[in-house]
Amino acid sequence: MRREPLLNALILLALLAVPLAAQALDEPFLVTLATKAAILALAGVGLNLALGLGGMVSLGHAAFFGIGGYAMAVLAAPVQAYEPLMTWPMDLPGTKSMPAIWLAAMAAGALAALVIGALSLRTGGVYFIMITLAFAQMLYYFAVSWPAYGGEDGISIYVRNGFPGLDTLDPLQFFGLCLGVLLLALGAMHLIARSRFGLALDGARQNPERVAALGLRPARLKLIAFVVSGAVTALAGALFADLNRFVSPSMLHWQTSGEIMVFVILGGAGRLFGPVAGAAIFVLLEHLLGGISDYWKLFLGLALLGIVLFARGGLIGALAGRAVAHD
Amino acid sequence: MSAMLLIEQALNGLQYGIMLFLMAAGLTLVFGVMGLINLAHGSLYMLGAFACAAVAAATGSFWLGLVASLAAAAAAGALIELSVIRRLYARDHLDQVLATFALILILSEGTRWLFGSFPLYLDIPAALSGPVRLPGGIDYPLYRLALIGFGLAVAAGLFLLIGRTRLGIRIRAGEADREMIAALGVDISRLYTLVFALGAALAGLAGALVGALQSVQVGMGEPVLILAFVVIVIGGIGSIRGALFGALLVGMTDTLGRALLPVAFATVLPPAEAGSVGAALASMLIYILMAGVLVIRPGGLFGRA
């Protein structure tokens, strides 16, 4: 248990040291990789709240990730086309400002999570998995067949959006921004887990009847957690779209949902830094194995299978021992 | 839209629904008996299609390919059950999702490694190619009509198997009370392997049959898997009857929605806009249907809760 904070600090230090070293060695691509890891970690942090703390096995978080990405495109595309965002019912210009885009992405993600969560939480267990997966697939097909934002081809945003006081086109500054957002989210998750709400949610996962007997409403606690979780993952989606300067339906693809879940599990479900460790390993594996073989996902699959069957608790669980019961 | 076109689309919907049933039946059986959610069911569909395409290309016979698809999918199912799946029965759904997601990655990439990234093509057997004239003067592809008949026959066989045979009694008993039938001397782990292989064979068969209509490629199974989930959510988990009803409902809704919605919107919108709005809405229709069922009956139409 005592080892976990130390491990967290090491993970954080590594995530900070790699891009700094890369910058010093003039390897900007490594900075981009670290940025990708930080953003994917943020998506995992979002899912971890629903999955780890709330016990909701959502296989549809690509929906929120993609909604965040498309929120960025919807706001930024009119600016690059010199058009207003809308003229009815009021005049509204698009924006290239990251804070505004983030707010919109989180609001859109939260709204989608509210609708999907309210419907999916009417049932539980295995239904929940199938339903979240199905709704994400619905949004995927919608994005593919709706031509306004590129349909299947997606849409490019040629210039990265701006943040006051920073040059976001500089890889290191953009990395710092993403890392800052990730740290804020981790801090918020830490506070949530220790708050009255977090404790009640933890209780609702372990024993909903007992929580209900205490006068709390487990379904509502779960729905709130799901909405926050969707908003955080949507924020990650907006950043991911800005990293690639490109949005396409692949962000909404079911495999993205699976991968976000893999980040959380590789690192350790319910652990604060689990998604960070998981996303870093994933990006590293993708880079290293992807360079060796086109079929690197075969090896990812084998590794994942091995971890699920024989090393429950993920990386942090293996290195830091059992802290929280993962049931 | 003419009545003839409507009948043709309804037949397409029926054919689509019956193929979905073959997928959903295996999933719902495996869930009902073993309590396992199997994401890799779509990979077995893909394996069946690849086995059929490969054998048909080598021997020139679609029918041998069909036999191969059944054999390959059942064998792969049994192998997967024995090596991986049986370690997952006692685990929670999260572990099952992850392990079967890993299986998807392994099976998809393994297939891509063996067969390459390019799609294979599977020809419709000569005896079933070409159109057939239905009463009322409608020309309809014979192969699709054969799929409807064949699928219905398999569905009837499955109902007989579950309802009338000793194996069926054991499967139903396994759904009702695992410990009790184990105590009565039924070899439960052999029963599980058998049920999993049966579900796999149905998925492989569906993959091979549909493979002749579309191209056979890696990743073809997962969209169908997700649709089968929608079918199960609508029908109720564990219910074969629910799977049949849900599959037909989803197949019909999807096919007729895609055919009718753009036409319906064209009466109120300009044609280009009507096409895109109609297509976008049609692609979401079955999920909206699922949401509606969840609001009215969260346990599914034939569910036990």
Side-chain angles (χ1 to χ4, degrees):
Chain A
M1 176 69 207
R2 290 282 90 212
R3 272 186 288 175
E4 196 176 332
L6 185 69
L7 196 62
N8 291 349
L10 275 177
I11 294 168
L12 201 60
L13 210 63
L15 195 57
L16 197 62
V18 167
L20 285 176
Q23 186 77 1
L25 296 170
D26 199 26
E27 292 265 12
F29 180 64
L30 282 182
V31 182
T32 305
L33 273 189
T35 314
K36 188 176 172 190
I39 294 171
L40 294 181
L42 182 64
V45 167
L47 177 61
N48 202 16
L49 176 64
L51 183 74
L53 203 59
M56 289 171 278
V57 184
S58 163
L59 201 46
H61 260 52
F64 313 124
F65 195 62
I67 281 173
Y70 272 97
M72 181 286 236
V74 167
L75 287 175
V79 177
Q80 82 181 12
Y82 301 104
E83 284 168 357
L85 175 63
M86 57 164 92
T87 52
W88 187 89
M90 54 176 184
D91 280 316
L92 205 64
T95 178
K96 294 282 286 178
S97 155
M98 279 194 192
I101 288 170
W102 295 350
L103 271 180
M106 290 179 78
L111 188 67
L114 183 67
V115 175
I116 293 176
L119 285 167
S120 323
L121 284 168
R122 289 179 65 82
T123 64
V126 69
Y127 274 105
F128 188 85
I129 302 170
M130 297 182 188
I131 295 164
T132 47
L133 180 61
F135 278 124
Q137 188 78 350
M138 171 178 93
L139 289 172
Y140 172 76
Y141 282 128
F142 179 73
V144 166
S145 59
W146 187 249
Y149 292 96
E152 208 163 348
D153 299 327
I155 184 166
S156 286
I157 302 296
Y158 302 107
V159 181
R160 191 170 284 157
N161 296 305
F163 190 87
L166 287 179
D167 173 15
T168 50
L169 283 170
D170 176 54
L172 199 60
Q173 292 194 32
F174 185 57
F175 168 77
L177 187 62
C178 294
L179 186 66
V181 173
L182 174 64
L183 288 179
L184 274 179
L186 284 170
M189 288 304 150
H190 182 71
L191 291 179
I192 287 177
R194 263 140 222 271
S195 68
R196 288 163 57 102
F197 169 74
L199 294 174
L201 182 65
D202 204 15
R205 170 174 61 90
Q206 293 179 28
N207 195 338
E209 289 82 10
R210 201 153 164 191
V211 169
L214 290 171
L216 296 166
R217 286 155 67 182
R220 214 170 74 180
L221 291 168
K222 285 187 164 188
L223 184 57
I224 295 170
F226 195 71
V227 168
V228 176
S229 161
V232 173
T233 302
L235 176 60
L239 284 171
F240 192 71
D242 242 328
L243 173 70
N244 299 322
R245 283 170 273 170
F246 174 67
V247 185
S248 78
S250 73
M251 281 180 78
L252 293 158
H253 197 256
W254 66 270
Q255 203 152 2
T256 307
S257 295
E259 282 169 8
I260 298 175
M261 190 179 273
V262 169
F263 307 150
V264 175
I265 306 305
L266 269 182
R271 312 286 186 137
L272 184 61
F273 272 69
V276 185
I281 295 173
F282 185 88
V283 171
L284 204 67
L285 280 180
E286 184 179 28
H287 182 60
L288 294 179
L289 292 178
I292 299 170
S293 160
D294 279 346
Y295 308 109
W296 75 276
K297 281 195 175 160
L298 179 69
F299 302 104
L300 177 72
L302 288 171
L304 181 62
L305 195 60
I307 288 173
V308 176
L309 291 182
F310 304 113
R312 306 171 72 186
L315 181 81
I316 295 187
L319 293 179
R322 281 174 77 93
V324 280
H326 155 210
D327 49 350
Chain B
M1 175 166 288
S2 68
M4 267 191 198
L5 215 51
L6 198 65
I7 293 173
E8 198 181 322
Q9 292 296 341
L11 282 173
N12 282 345
L14 188 63
Q15 176 257 314
Y16 187 31
I18 284 172
M19 291 301 115
L20 275 179
F21 168 71
L22 294 185
M23 273 295 273
L27 269 179
T28 206
L29 261 183
V30 166
F31 185 81
V33 178
M34 288 99 104
L36 176 99
I37 174 166
N38 178 22
L39 296 186
H41 204 64
S43 299
L44 296 163
Y45 175 90
M46 174 192 73
L47 282 184
F50 269 95
C52 185
V55 170
T59 64
S61 162
F62 177 81
W63 307 107
L64 278 180
L66 215 53
V67 173
S69 76
L70 271 172
L79 194 71
I80 289 170
E81 201 276 342
L82 289 171
S83 58
V84 177
I85 300 289
R86 68 174 35 188
R87 298 169 201 274
L88 297 171
Y89 295 137
R91 300 288 190 86
D92 61 3
H93 293 316
L94 176 61
D95 284 353
Q96 298 175 350
V97 163
L98 285 164
T100 52
F101 179 70
L103 283 176
I104 293 182
L105 294 179
I106 294 168
L107 291 172
S108 289
E109 292 303 299
T111 308
R112 208 153 65 85
W113 186 55
L114 271 178
F115 290 93
S117 299
F118 292 104
L120 303 182
Y121 292 95
L122 185 56
D123 286 329
I124 292 171
L128 294 178
S129 63
V132 62
R133 174 141 304 186
L134 298 180
I138 301 162
D139 284 327
Y140 193 73
L142 178 60
Y143 183 69
R144 283 180 185 263
L145 207 61
L147 285 193
I148 295 176
F150 188 61
L152 282 176
V154 172
L158 193 63
F159 276 100
L160 282 178
L161 176 77
I162 304 280
R164 291 273 183 272
T165 64
R166 181 164 286 271
L167 176 65
I169 292 175
R170 288 183 174 164
I171 289 175
R172 279 180 291 143
E175 284 186 287
D177 195 331
R178 244 164 276 191
E179 287 79 11
M180 185 55 95
I181 70 156
L184 288 174
V186 174
D187 184 347
I188 194 99
S189 50
R190 221 180 61 200
L191 179 70
Y192 283 3
T193 311
L194 210 61
V195 170
F196 198 85
L198 174 67
L202 287 174
L205 182 66
L209 291 173
V210 176
L213 290 174
Q214 302 163 350
S215 56
V216 174
Q217 56 188 331
V218 172
M220 67 187 283
E222 280 69 38
V224 185
L225 170 84
I226 298 174
L227 281 179
F229 281 161
V230 174
V231 164
I232 291 176
V233 169
I234 289 175
I237 292 178
S239 162
I240 300 264
R241 237 170 9 129
L244 182 60
F245 185 80
L248 293 179
L249 193 63
V250 166
M252 284 289 187
T253 309
D254 192 57
T255 310
L256 290 179
R258 279 175 208 281
L260 294 179
L261 275 180
V263 182
F265 276 106
T267 57
V268 288
L269 289 172
E273 234 172 285
S276 63
V277 172
L281 192 62
S283 70
M284 297 167 61
L285 205 56
I286 49 169
Y287 305 98
I288 298 170
L289 178 74
M290 177 183 82
V293 170
L294 279 173
V295 170
I296 302 162
R297 288 194 64 137
L301 295 176
F302 291 82
R304 262 167 289 185

